[in-house]
Amino acid sequence: MAGALATTGLLLGAYLEVPRERGASAAQAVPGRPVPGRPDAAPPRRPMSTYTTRFKPGEPRVRNIELAARILDGHIVEPRTTFSFNDVVGPRVRSRGYVPAPAIMGARLVKDVGGGICQVSTTLFNAVFRAGLDIRESRAHTMWMPEYPEGREAAVSYPQLDFTWKNDTDAPVRIQVTYTGSSLTVNLWGERKYDVRSRTSERYGFKPYRTGVGRGRKCVPMAGREGFEIDVWRTLYSGGRKVRRERFHTEYRPQPKVTCV
């Protein structure tokens, strides 16, 4: 259940921190798109889960969030198949409309093309988590950001670092993504297999932060935040009986206080 982390290049190493052990609200409009490749099949119409995250309006990262959300919206995951965020969303490059925005690299924020897209993968992660679907591959960021729930996030970096999950139900799962100028919502439609209960520990293993100075146009000022560890448990039930219990363990690095000059 727990996988070892391997650092592959700057971006991959920046996002990875500690292996995880596998294991909001929004108005829900009934999806009406036909299932791709199956024109006669009705799209899934039963809500499985929903999750919303929020962000500051007007920031460059909002552009990247919207681009990924549009690509993801309406995607169908057939029964017994595995969804890959990187395969579906594709590369985050300027030629596809992505812009530079703050992104996590190690214990710092720097401006990088496609920055902020992890808000989409993390919102999807939490919808999948709540739906009781089989989370196959996910890694936390090295730093905790207040936009995301502690210990429940999925960092992505094309093409190495991916978020994958399996539709282990007997019906298709449809991903619906909606957004406003300050929020992003993922709804999943299909047939639930499990009921879900979850619990999050208190923070522990605190580590102090340092101060530093950054230079250059890629520098992003930071206020500083101590590091900590946290555990999340997800328990799946079927017919009132426990099927399995999964633990997601995360260690967040301290975030330095950075002044840009």
Side-chain angles (χ1 to χ4, degrees):
M1 289 175 57
L5 297 181
T7 303
T8 308
L10 178 60
L11 273 177
L12 181 56
Y15 283 115
L16 296 181
E17 175 59 24
V18 174
R20 283 182 167 174
E21 297 185 47
R22 201 187 123 205
S25 65
Q28 295 184 356
V30 175
R33 294 185 185 177
V35 178
R38 300 189 305 154
D40 297 329
R45 292 183 177 273
R46 183 170 297 182
M48 298 179 72
S49 66
T50 183
Y51 200 81
T52 296
T53 59
R54 304 189 183 279
F55 47 81
K56 293 181 180 179
E59 295 181 338
R61 67 195 304 269
V62 176
R63 165 70 174 174
N64 300 327
I65 290 171
E66 292 177 352
L67 285 173
R70 292 172 190 168
I71 295 171
L72 192 59
D73 182 43
H75 186 79
I76 299 289
V77 183
E78 296 290 348
R80 310 300 171 183
T81 62
T82 298
F83 168 93
S84 162
F85 186 90
N86 281 341
D87 286 351
V88 173
V89 176
R92 281 71 86 175
V93 293
R94 289 181 184 270
S95 61
R96 301 185 71 210
Y98 292 97
V99 299
I104 298 173
M105 289 191 178
R108 296 280 295 270
L109 287 174
V110 300
K111 293 180 181 179
D112 188 58
V113 175
I117 199 173
C118 290
Q119 182 133 7
V120 182
S121 57
T122 290
T123 309
L124 176 61
F125 173 92
N126 280 277
V128 169
F129 183 97
R130 286 183 166 184
L133 293 163
D134 185 8
I135 296 172
R136 310 292 291 184
E137 178 186 356
S138 67
R139 294 290 184 269
H141 293 87
T142 52
M143 303 187 309
W144 176 69
M145 305 301 290
E147 294 90 347
Y148 310 144
E150 300 162 322
R152 286 171 48 175
E153 53 172 300
V156 291
S157 174
Y158 190 89
Q160 301 98 338
L161 182 58
D162 203 358
F163 167 47
T164 67
W165 53 275
K166 183 177 181 180
N167 177 6
D168 56 348
T169 73
D170 296 324
V173 173
R174 182 183 190 273
I175 303 171
Q176 180 189 32
V177 186
T178 61
Y179 57 86
T180 67
S182 61
S183 69
L184 176 75
T185 298
V186 172
N187 299 311
L188 297 182
W189 300 79
E191 299 291 336
R192 291 188 69 100
K193 185 176 181 180
Y194 302 115
D195 294 320
V196 176
R197 298 177 192 174
S198 64
R199 182 172 69 88
T200 301
S201 73
E202 297 292 329
R203 297 179 178 185
Y204 64 95
F206 294 98
K207 297 178 181 178
Y209 65 85
R210 299 178 179 180
T211 60
V213 175
R215 293 177 172 81
R217 58 185 179 85
K218 288 190 174 184
C219 178
V220 177
M222 299 173 62
R225 185 180 286 127
E226 63 184 359
F228 62 92
E229 298 179 44
I230 200 160
D231 296 302
V232 175
W233 290 271
R234 182 177 74 161
T235 307
L236 306 180
Y237 292 84
S238 179
R241 301 185 65 177
K242 184 170 74 173
V243 176
R244 69 176 180 268
R245 186 170 183 257
E246 303 163 329
R247 175 176 175 254
F248 298 79
H249 173 72
T250 304
E251 290 185 19
Y252 291 110
R253 293 183 188 176
Q255 303 179 27
K257 182 177 180 179
V258 177
T259 303
C260 297
V261 297

